[in-house]
Amino acid sequence: MSFSLSGIASGLDTNTIISQLMQLERIPYTKLETKKKDYNTELSVFRSINTKLAALRSAADDLRLNSNFNLMGVKSSDESVVKAVGSDGLQEGTFLIEVEQLATYTTLVSKGFNASGNDLKNLGSVEFTINGETIQVDFTKETNEENLALLANAINSESEAGVKASVIQIAPGKKALLLTAKESGETDIELGNAGFLGTTDTKPGKNAIFKLNGIQMQSSTNEIKDFVSGLTITLFKENATATITIAKDVDKVAAKVEAFVQAYNDVINTIRTNTAKGAQLQGDSTLRSLQDQLYNLFTSGVGQDGEAGYQYLYQIGLEIDKGKLKGSEMTGTITFDKEKFKQALLDNPDAVYKLFAHDSATDEEDGIAQKFSNSLLVWTRSGSGILASRIDGYNNQISFITKQMEDMEVRLQKKEEQLKKQFNNMESALLSLQNQMSWLSAQLNSLAFSTKA
């Protein structure tokens, strides 16, 4: 710990002098600090573009899959009667569903108990069975209502019994135990040694009965899966009819293309923002090259092995800077005419698919999505990709500068201590001289007084 004698002899503000000298000494450190900040900013940009470019490649890969151009939509003519949901493997078709009977659950209700009475408490501990599973309950509460709640909890804790229990009110002041089968359809609820529940009222469950295109079918549930491969329907209303239509859903296909468009535009906007006039990466050759390559990939023609079809994306509603003639208005982003695309898909679905996914013997004739997938791998490949190399370069530069700053900080601290020591020594020397001058002055004054005397 250094001891400061700031200005004690010289009258100078040596602390301020040292601070100003250190500011000069820290100029190289400050420059390194600024450079590190700049590198971190640029590194963040390249990481962002790498992530967005990977998303673009993924979107392009989706457009190489034939299944994504044959996505099916499911529609019910009356969802109050039947709802339908599709999954993979659906085939086009129309199905008339006539609902005759909905599936219900078997229920059983015990006799009614006086809610405030103590009939059940007087039974103490009871053991009985439901569907062969043993249930034991200790009736320890004061009222029947409380003990029925204990009974319901004991039944619900036995998952293998296959029922759900609850306490219901069947009349003012009267409570009963309601058992409901967990599974709908024609199931049974069998009680053993449960005479304490009194005469029970059982309502058997029923299977759902419906016709599919005139063919009678039954199901234990109202949610019916895979009677048509990949289709799940749910029945809601008895004695009613609805039509289920499965057809190609052009909106779903358009959504896949729209995802590609958005990913492309996201990359372009990020590049243009960070390479614009005055931006930190203005004129960066790597990003300019990437932007040019993306444009060339998008606008390139596609061969389809001599087959008639679409050759350019603008023919199906995708176009860069559509309708813009002035350079100042151009953004480099894609405009997506969804209706034009959907019409093209309806008119010639195979040609639309090949425009994206055609796999030719030569790269030049590949489909657009195929070209994007192949070309972007060079940019996004982990470790050896173009962007990965730039990112590694920034990380190395930042690490090098960080080490330089750490070493320089040590030297600056030593320099500051040296300056403080030098100024303290100067103040000590001046103070010593001032003390000697004061002593000599006192001696001279004493001699002069003695002479006069």
Side-chain angles (χ1 to χ4, degrees):
M1 177 176 164
S2 61
F3 177 72
S4 175
L5 296 173
S6 178
I8 192 171
S10 66
L12 300 173
D13 186 353
T14 55
N15 284 339
T16 299
I17 294 172
I18 291 171
S19 176
Q20 292 173 343
L21 288 172
M22 287 306 302
Q23 286 179 13
L24 295 174
E25 293 284 344
R26 294 187 72 86
I27 288 175
Y29 182 92
T30 303
K31 288 182 178 179
L32 287 176
E33 200 170 39
T34 301
K35 185 178 289 187
K36 180 179 177 180
K37 182 180 178 181
D38 290 342
Y39 280 157
N40 272 313
T41 299
E42 294 172 19
L43 171 61
S44 178
V45 172
F46 274 91
R47 281 177 171 166
S48 175
I49 290 175
N50 192 37
T51 299
K52 293 176 179 181
L53 209 59
L56 175 58
R57 183 169 186 264
S58 177
D61 284 340
D62 276 349
L63 296 177
R64 296 167 59 206
L65 301 176
N66 186 52
S67 58
N68 283 333
F69 285 84
N70 290 285
L71 298 172
M72 296 294 172
V74 181
K75 185 177 181 180
S76 170
S77 63
D78 190 343
E79 291 196 342
S80 69
V81 177
V82 179
K83 283 188 178 180
V85 178
S87 60
D88 293 339
L90 276 179
Q91 299 295 323
E92 291 187 81
T94 302
F95 304 94
L96 178 65
I97 309 295
E98 301 172 78
V99 185
E100 298 180 13
Q101 175 177 289
L102 295 178
T104 60
Y105 293 85
T106 298
T107 60
L108 182 151
V109 182
S110 73
K111 72 175 184 178
F113 291 88
N114 186 338
S116 59
N118 61 2
D119 310 54
L120 293 174
K121 181 181 179 183
N122 293 334
L123 296 177
S125 181
V126 172
E127 185 175 281
F128 64 103
T129 64
I130 299 179
N131 294 334
E133 297 297 323
T134 300
I135 310 291
Q136 183 168 348
V137 59
D138 295 324
F139 293 122
T140 59
K141 300 296 184 180
E142 295 299 321
T143 66
N144 288 331
E145 182 173 10
E146 293 173 309
N147 282 313
L148 282 172
L150 284 178
L151 178 59
N153 288 336
I155 294 171
N156 290 332
S157 65
E158 180 50 68
S159 60
E160 298 300 320
V163 298
K164 295 179 289 186
S166 55
V167 179
I168 61 172
Q169 179 171 296
I170 59 174
K174 289 281 188 178
K175 300 286 184 177
L177 181 72
L178 171 65
L179 299 180
T180 304
K182 290 183 178 179
E183 303 292 338
S184 60
E186 297 174 352
T187 57
D188 293 324
I189 298 178
E190 298 179 355
L191 297 179
N193 300 323
F196 67 95
L197 292 176
T199 301
T200 56
D201 180 16
T202 301
K203 184 177 181 180
K206 299 182 295 184
N207 287 339
I209 301 175
F210 64 100
K211 289 181 180 179
L212 169 66
N213 288 350
I215 302 171
Q216 182 124 7
M217 297 184 173
Q218 289 195 28
S219 169
S220 62
T221 71
N222 291 316
E223 183 179 88
I224 304 154
K225 297 181 179 181
D226 290 335
F227 74 97
V228 172
S229 179
L231 184 67
T232 298
I233 67 168
T234 305
L235 309 179
F236 289 103
K237 185 185 293 185
E238 294 181 340
N239 301 315
T241 301
T243 300
I244 304 298
T245 304
I246 305 172
K248 185 174 292 185
D249 192 333
V250 292
D251 285 311
K252 287 183 178 179
V253 181
K256 295 288 184 182
V257 176
E258 193 165 30
F260 169 80
V261 170
Q262 290 173 349
Y264 181 98
N265 289 346
D266 196 15
V267 173
I268 293 299
N269 286 331
T270 303
I271 292 174
R272 290 175 70 92
T273 297
N274 289 281
T275 57
K277 185 176 181 180
Q280 192 164 315
L281 286 165
Q282 178 183 347
D284 183 90
S285 59
T286 300
L287 297 183
R288 289 293 187 188
S289 174
L290 173 58
Q291 182 177 341
D292 291 343
Q293 185 171 353
L294 291 175
Y295 178 83
N296 291 334
L297 287 171
F298 182 87
T299 56
S300 60
V302 175
Q304 298 193 16
D305 297 334
E307 297 179 10
Y310 302 112
Q311 190 175 6
Y312 297 98
L313 287 176
Y314 74 83
Q315 295 173 295
I316 61 169
L318 290 85
E319 191 170 349
I320 290 176
D321 288 323
K322 181 179 179 180
K324 296 176 181 177
L325 302 177
K326 295 180 180 179
S328 58
E329 296 176 345
M330 295 181 179
T331 63
T333 56
I334 303 170
T335 299
F336 181 34
D337 186 338
K338 190 180 297 186
E339 295 307 313
K340 184 176 181 179
F341 170 80
K342 291 194 293 185
Q343 189 59 53
L345 188 62
L346 291 171
D347 292 342
N348 196 341
D350 189 55
V352 171
Y353 169 66
K354 287 184 176 180
L355 178 58
F356 284 101
H358 184 62
D359 191 359
S360 173
T362 60
D363 293 342
E364 291 78 10
E365 295 187 345
D366 279 344
I368 301 299
Q370 186 78 12
K371 289 179 180 179
F372 267 86
S373 183
N374 293 339
S375 299
L376 295 188
L377 182 60
V378 177
W379 290 86
T380 60
R381 185 185 287 115
S382 178
S384 60
I386 295 173
L387 294 179
S389 297
R390 282 294 297 264
I391 289 169
D392 287 344
Y394 278 116
N395 283 326
N396 291 335
Q397 288 288 345
I398 291 168
S399 296
F400 179 70
I401 290 174
T402 299
K403 182 63 169 62
Q404 284 184 303
M405 291 173 66
E406 289 171 352
D407 294 343
M408 192 176 291
E409 184 64 43
V410 172
R411 293 195 299 272
L412 289 170
Q413 289 176 1
K414 290 181 178 179
K415 180 65 176 180
E416 187 173 10
E417 289 299 319
Q418 181 184 6
L419 287 172
K420 287 179 179 179
K421 185 176 181 180
Q422 289 174 341
F423 274 94
N424 282 340
N425 289 340
M426 180 194 75
E427 293 292 341
S428 296
L430 285 173
L431 185 59
S432 177
L433 288 173
Q434 288 172 355
N435 288 336
Q436 290 179 22
M437 288 177 64
S438 296
W439 181 81
L440 287 172
S441 179
Q443 292 299 315
L444 292 172
N445 288 337
S446 175
L447 287 173
F449 178 78
S450 298
T451 304
K452 289 179 180 180

